């Protein structure tokens, strides 16, 4: 079987092709094409030696949905809600990201007020119909949406999580009056209480369906035209993949798919290297992402957002992101302080050294000046680049205004970038009760291995692992996942033994729906694995924690004990004497896909891979020092390297500072000890 994984990033589109029969691996990297993401994918596949018609498996992750939300490149959306609840979407939860900043503007709602329309109806919290749906008013609303040319409609009625009958009827009426409209209902998207969160998730899902459907249709067509006849799978934020058929309705699920693929790959690499605890550090051209694996499991969250105040309540890998990539712009603020990011030059025009019209200093330009990156080696020499523009913009925009020489300015840019990245690692580790000294740092992305050793030093992380293909690690993650669906629902009850039968019945019903979805994607019943979680909290509290459990549910007390332990770890506090309440249920169903098995590499000495030296600057030395240069492809298992050294490969550069040593293991990972 020939498998391919693709990651559509903000700067580059990465491709890995793995032939399981021969063990051969191909990797390619091409500039992303934001105006037509499918074009970048096809360019990357055509660059590989393997013909598209010979592929048996295609899976990809992308930032298309995320970028559409960030840039507000969305269709006009209509929202139908219960009379009197028109402004739930705009009021949100009445909080701000900067609580004490009176001048901070909150993000605009995704649906303008004139397009939020009400219908008379009411269902109570128990799911009983208090006021029947006014169907005549609903038809009037549907006709108004059609008249305005609004073809994307979200339906979120009060308490629809308890009884979705009215929402389903609204969807039927809209389909009758406005056949061209796409309609999604909150009771299908997120059957959970709290109007704002449910409405926000439903609106964002509705908004992304046309965006995602357009590029997926184009990609599927282009692949089919070139002879590929398999499923086009897409990574979703929960760590599995979905078919295009499922994504056509649950588009918001893939909004965080690219970073999630990287987290999956870092978990896999850590396990291969014998580490149960690992921090994934993914630095590309636009941003740096950090994820965490603890005791073999990736940390997850059930609430995340692209813009503060508008949550997406689908389960997602818990990833922290900052604008600190290779293309992040270095600039001086009004107070005269040097900053790096969050604005990025991205793929177009890119850093100044790329020779694509970029005229602002970036982190990559600073690395070129420091001698860490040889511009002649970008993409294995396939990309035109040179050092002179990098030197010019850093001298002009950073060195001269701050009274520094060129080297001091470039080193300052690097140190600030490392400080920013270290803060991201803190957000997934120390801020959540984890000690970074107990973890390995998995460094990937085109720029991650350049900075990883310095980030590890800053965070007291003893080991850095750089996988064989760090620049395409997220694409690798797309080969390591299962077809997956999950469901959640509100379930409020005291965590006492007499609730076991009700829990068992609810889980059985949720499992049935998931099995039906997976069967629709041609997954056999014997290939399905189910995982169950109970959302719990101390009675009277707001925040809940997800606690794993197994079926049949015959011991609620053991689940309760696990909740106390989880609460202690998360909040450094627990109280066994306090009553505990069940808040909700979550079931994940996975259609298990065969995973690729990668070959080991031959033994070899570092001397065989030595390619000379060049001058590079390290702040530990305070000067440019003669630095050994190695070719990664020629490094064999057991090869050891003492810093300072630089290892070149097509998709990335690995910097080993003076205080570090590195060794190549038998499966091709470089392990750096700092």
């Amino acid at each position: 079987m020939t498998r391919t994984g693709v990651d559509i990033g903000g700067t580059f589109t990465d491709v890995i092709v793995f032939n399981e029969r021969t063990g051969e691996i191909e990797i390619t990297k091409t500039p992303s094409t934001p105006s037509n993401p499918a074009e970048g994918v096809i360019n990357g596949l055509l660059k590989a030696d393997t013909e598209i018609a010979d592929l048996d498996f295609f899976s990809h992750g992308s930032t298309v949905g995320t970028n559409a939300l960030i840039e507000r490149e969305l269709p006009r959306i209509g929202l139908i809600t219960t009379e009197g609840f028109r402004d739930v979407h705009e009021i949100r939860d009445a909080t701000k990201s900067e609580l004490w900043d009176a001048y901070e503007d909150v993000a605009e709602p995704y649906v303008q007020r004139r397009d939020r329309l009400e219908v008379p109806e009411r269902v109570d919290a128990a799911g009983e119909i208090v006021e029947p749906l006014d169907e005549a008013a609903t038809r009037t609303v549907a006709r108004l949406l059609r008249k305005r040319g609004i073809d994307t409609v979200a339906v979120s009625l009060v308490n629809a999580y308890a009884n979705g009958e009215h929402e389903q009827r609204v969807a039927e009426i809209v389909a009758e009056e406005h056949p061209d409209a796409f309609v999604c209902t909150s009771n299908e998207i997120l059957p959970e209480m709290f109007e704002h969160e449910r409405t926000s998730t439903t609106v964002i899902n509705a908004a992304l369906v046309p965006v995602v459907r357009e590029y997926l249709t184009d990609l599927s067509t282009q692949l089919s035209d070139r002879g590929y006849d398999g499923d086009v799978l897409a990574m979703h934020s929960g760590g599995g993949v979905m078919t295009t058929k499922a994504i056509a309705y649950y588009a918001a699920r893939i909004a965080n798919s690219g970073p999630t693929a990287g987290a999956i790959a870092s978990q896999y690499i850590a396990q291969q290297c014998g580490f149960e605890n690992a921090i994934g550090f993914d630095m590309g051209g636009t941003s740096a992402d950090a994820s965490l694996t603890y005791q073999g499991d990736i940390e997850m969250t059930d609430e995340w957002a692209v813009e503060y105040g508008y949550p997406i309540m689908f389960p997602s890998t818990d990833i922290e992101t900052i604008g600190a990539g290779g293309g992040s712009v270095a600039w001086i603020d009004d107070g005269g302080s040097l900053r790096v990011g969050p604005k990025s030059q991205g793929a177009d025009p890119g850093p100044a050294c790329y020779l694509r019209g970029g005229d602002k200093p970036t982190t990559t330009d600073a690395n070129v000046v420091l001698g860490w990156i040889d511009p002649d080696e970008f993409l294995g020499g396939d990309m035109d680049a040179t050092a002179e523009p990098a030197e010019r913009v850093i001298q002009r925009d950073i060195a001269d205004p701050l009274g520094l020489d060129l080297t001091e300015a470039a080193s300052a840019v690097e140190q600030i970038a490392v400080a920013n990245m270290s803060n991201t690692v803190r957000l997934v580790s120390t801020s959540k009760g984890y000690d970074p000294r107990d973890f390995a740092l998995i460094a990937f992305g085109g720029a991650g291995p350049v900075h990883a050793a310095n980030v590890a030093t800053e965070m007291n992380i003893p080991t850095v692992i750089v996988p064989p293909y760090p620049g395409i690690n997220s694409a690798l993650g797309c080969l390591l996942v299962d077809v997956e669906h999950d469901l959640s629902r509100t379930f409020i009850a005291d965590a006492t033994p007499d609730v076991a039968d009700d829990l068992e019945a609810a889980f059985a019903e949720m499992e049935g729906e998931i099995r039906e979805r997976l069967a629709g994607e041609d997954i056999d019943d014997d290939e399905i694995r189910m995982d169950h979680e109970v959302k719990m909290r101390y009675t009277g509290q707001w925040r809940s924690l997800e606690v794993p459990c197994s079926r049949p549910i015959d011991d609620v007390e053991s689940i309760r004990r696990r909740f106390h332990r989880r609460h202690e770890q998360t909040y450094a506090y627990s109280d066994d004497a306090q009553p505990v309440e069940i808040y909700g249920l979550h079931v994940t169903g996975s259609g298990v896909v065969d995973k690729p098995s990668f070959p080991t590499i031959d033994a070899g000495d570092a001397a065989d891979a030595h390619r000379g030296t060049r001058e590079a600057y390290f702040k530990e030395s305070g000067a440019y020092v003669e630095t050994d240069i190695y070719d990664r492809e020629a490094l064999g298992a057991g090869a050891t390297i003492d810093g300072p050294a630089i290892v070149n490969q097509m998709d990335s550069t690995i910097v080993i500072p003076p205080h570090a040593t590195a060794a190549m293991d038998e499966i091709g990972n470089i392990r750096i000890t700092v």
Side-chain angles (χ1 to χ4, degrees):
M1 175 178 282
T2 302
R3 300 168 175 267
T4 186
V6 178
D7 175 47
I8 307 173
T11 305
F12 289 102
T13 293
D14 307 325
V15 177
I16 179 170
V17 180
F18 178 59
N19 188 314
E20 289 188 319
R21 181 177 57 82
T22 64
E24 293 180 352
I25 295 174
E26 289 183 78
I27 62 171
T28 64
K29 201 174 183 75
T30 59
S32 293
T33 51
S35 61
N36 182 4
E39 182 181 337
V41 175
I42 298 301
N43 290 342
L45 291 172
L46 293 176
K47 193 175 178 181
D49 292 334
T50 304
E51 296 292 330
I52 293 176
D54 295 334
L55 299 177
D56 300 302
F57 177 91
F58 178 93
S59 175
H60 78 295
S62 82
T63 56
V64 171
T66 308
N67 292 340
L69 292 172
I70 291 172
E71 299 167 8
R72 292 295 182 110
E73 294 292 334
L74 302 168
R76 187 175 174 183
I77 313 156
L79 171 63
I80 299 177
T81 189
T82 303
E83 189 174 55
F85 290 82
R86 181 183 191 183
D87 295 319
V88 164
H89 180 53
E90 187 164 358
I91 295 171
R92 306 173 296 112
D93 58 4
T95 65
K96 299 195 300 182
S97 58
E98 297 294 335
L99 185 60
W100 306 111
D101 186 352
Y103 298 98
E104 182 195 30
D105 291 328
V106 298
E108 290 290 324
Y110 290 104
V111 186
Q112 297 305 307
R113 193 171 195 272
R114 68 189 303 265
D115 295 331
R116 302 196 296 262
L117 306 175
E118 302 173 333
V119 294
E121 68 87 37
R122 196 58 184 264
V123 172
D124 67 17
E128 298 296 327
I129 296 176
V130 177
E131 178 183 352
L133 174 69
D134 187 330
E135 295 197 2
T138 304
R139 291 190 183 279
T140 300
V141 164
R143 291 166 186 160
L144 183 57
L145 291 171
R146 184 185 62 190
K147 182 178 179 181
R148 293 179 179 177
I150 298 174
D151 297 330
T152 303
V153 181
V155 181
S156 182
L157 305 180
V158 172
N159 294 328
Y161 71 91
N163 183 346
E165 180 182 333
H166 284 178
E167 283 196 348
Q168 292 305 312
R169 183 56 186 148
V170 169
E172 292 169 1
I173 292 172
V174 172
E176 293 167 6
E177 299 292 339
H178 189 4
D180 295 331
F182 168 77
V183 184
C184 71
T185 61
S186 74
N187 75 296
E188 289 185 301
I189 299 299
L190 187 74
E192 294 187 17
M193 64 187 298
F194 301 124
E195 287 79 18
H196 165 58
E197 289 82 354
R198 181 161 46 87
T199 299
S200 174
T201 304
T202 306
V203 164
I204 290 171
N205 188 80
L208 287 180
V209 165
V211 175
V212 170
R213 186 168 52 196
E214 181 178 352
Y215 104 81
L216 281 176
T217 300
D218 187 18
L219 178 59
S220 299
T221 300
Q222 292 203 47
L223 289 171
S224 178
D225 289 346
R226 289 169 171 81
Y228 176 70
D229 58 3
D231 287 327
V232 177
L233 301 175
M235 172 74 72
H236 66 67
S237 58
V241 288
M242 300 169 69
T243 63
T244 52
K245 180 180 178 181
I247 295 165
Y249 193 80
Y250 298 100
R253 294 302 307 267
I254 71 167
N256 204 29
S257 66
T260 294
I264 295 289
S266 64
Q267 176 199 38
Y268 172 79
I269 290 158
Q271 290 175 340
Q272 280 195 318
C273 294
F275 289 90
E276 281 197 323
N277 300 339
I279 296 172
F281 173 60
D282 177 8
M283 183 180 177
T286 305
S287 63
D289 302 321
S291 60
L292 186 137
T293 298
Y294 179 67
Q295 295 183 349
D297 294 323
I298 296 176
E299 292 294 286
M300 304 290 291
T301 180
D302 58 4
E303 179 178 346
W304 61 284
V306 172
E307 290 184 279
Y308 184 85
Y310 294 101
I312 300 173
M313 301 298 291
F314 290 135
S316 172
T317 50
D318 191 2
I319 296 173
E320 296 290 345
T321 302
I322 61 166
S328 293
V329 175
W331 54 287
I332 298 171
D333 67 18
D334 293 340
S337 298
L338 177 61
R339 304 290 188 92
V340 179
K343 185 176 180 181
S344 173
Q345 292 289 82
D348 186 13
C353 60
Y354 281 11
L355 299 177
R356 291 184 173 180
D359 195 38
K360 296 181 185 298
T362 67
T363 305
T364 295
D365 292 316
N367 298 152
V368 168
V369 171
L370 295 174
W372 296 3
I373 295 177
D374 182 354
D376 292 333
E377 296 292 330
F378 274 130
L379 298 188
D382 287 348
M383 183 174 174
D384 291 333
T386 186
E388 188 281 327
E391 297 169 351
R392 174 175 51 81
V393 295
I394 289 178
Q395 184 71 48
R396 182 195 67 201
D397 292 352
I398 307 300
D400 289 346
L402 294 178
L404 304 173
D405 65 31
L406 178 63
T407 302
E408 290 173 331
S411 182
V413 171
E414 167 63 19
Q415 291 177 57
I416 292 173
V418 167
N420 290 341
M421 291 176 249
S422 298
N423 285 335
T424 309
V425 173
R426 287 188 183 94
L427 289 173
V428 298
S429 58
T430 53
S431 69
K432 297 180 180 179
Y434 298 105
D435 187 341
R437 293 173 295 183
D438 298 332
F439 290 76
L441 187 70
I442 314 298
F444 57 101
V450 176
H451 309 275
N454 287 328
V455 171
T457 301
E458 179 79 12
M459 296 299 299
N460 293 316
I461 298 173
T463 303
V464 175
I465 299 172
V466 183
Y469 309 105
I472 54 87
N473 205 54
S474 292
L476 169 65
C478 293
L479 298 183
L480 304 171
V481 293
D482 300 319
V483 178
E484 187 177 283
H485 286 276
D486 56 70
L487 282 176
S488 61
R489 68 166 54 173
T490 297
F491 184 102
I492 298 177
D494 293 331
T496 55
D498 58 0
V499 79
D501 289 344
D502 291 336
L503 284 174
E504 179 67 18
F507 275 135
E509 184 180 338
M510 295 168 75
E511 274 196 22
E513 184 172 341
I514 289 177
R515 289 184 185 278
E516 187 177 322
R517 290 186 188 181
L518 291 171
E521 296 183 293
D522 299 323
I523 302 296
D524 294 334
D525 205 57
D526 59 357
E527 297 174 333
I528 296 175
R529 185 189 71 241
M530 293 287 178
D531 296 304
H532 310 80
E533 291 177 312
V534 180
K535 296 180 182 179
M536 306 177 78
R537 60 192 179 189
Y538 287 118
T539 302
Q541 296 299 300
W542 173 263
R543 296 290 180 186
S544 62
L545 294 173
E546 292 192 347
V547 180
C549 66
S550 58
R551 289 188 64 200
I553 305 295
D554 53 12
D555 184 8
V556 176
E557 182 57 32
S558 64
I559 302 173
R560 195 172 183 274
R561 288 195 296 269
R562 284 196 290 272
F563 166 75
H564 289 303
R565 291 196 296 270
R566 182 70 185 274
H567 203 279
E568 177 72 33
Q569 183 214 331
T570 305
Y571 299 114
Y573 167 80
S574 66
D575 186 347
D576 293 357
Q578 289 294 324
V580 177
E581 180 181 57
I582 296 172
Y583 160 66
L585 308 178
H586 181 226
V587 179
T588 302
S590 303
V592 180
V593 174
D594 291 335
K595 309 299 188 299
S597 178
F598 299 105
T600 58
I601 63 172
D602 296 330
D605 191 84
D608 299 330
H610 194 260
R611 298 295 181 262
T613 64
R614 71 166 176 262
E615 295 289 301
Y617 180 88
F618 295 92
K619 67 182 179 67
E620 297 92 332
S621 305
Y624 282 89
V625 296
E626 189 171 348
T627 303
D628 291 309
I629 309 298
Y630 296 88
D631 177 6
R632 182 161 190 178
E633 288 189 4
L635 283 172
T640 58
I641 299 171
D642 292 326
I646 293 171
V647 181
N648 288 327
Q649 60 187 106
M650 185 280 288
D651 56 323
S652 188
T653 298
I654 305 164
V655 175
I656 305 167
H659 61 274
T661 59
M664 179 78 97
D665 68 20
E666 64 179 7
I667 49 179
N669 299 299
I670 290 180
R671 304 192 189 197
I672 303 173
T673 302
V674 298

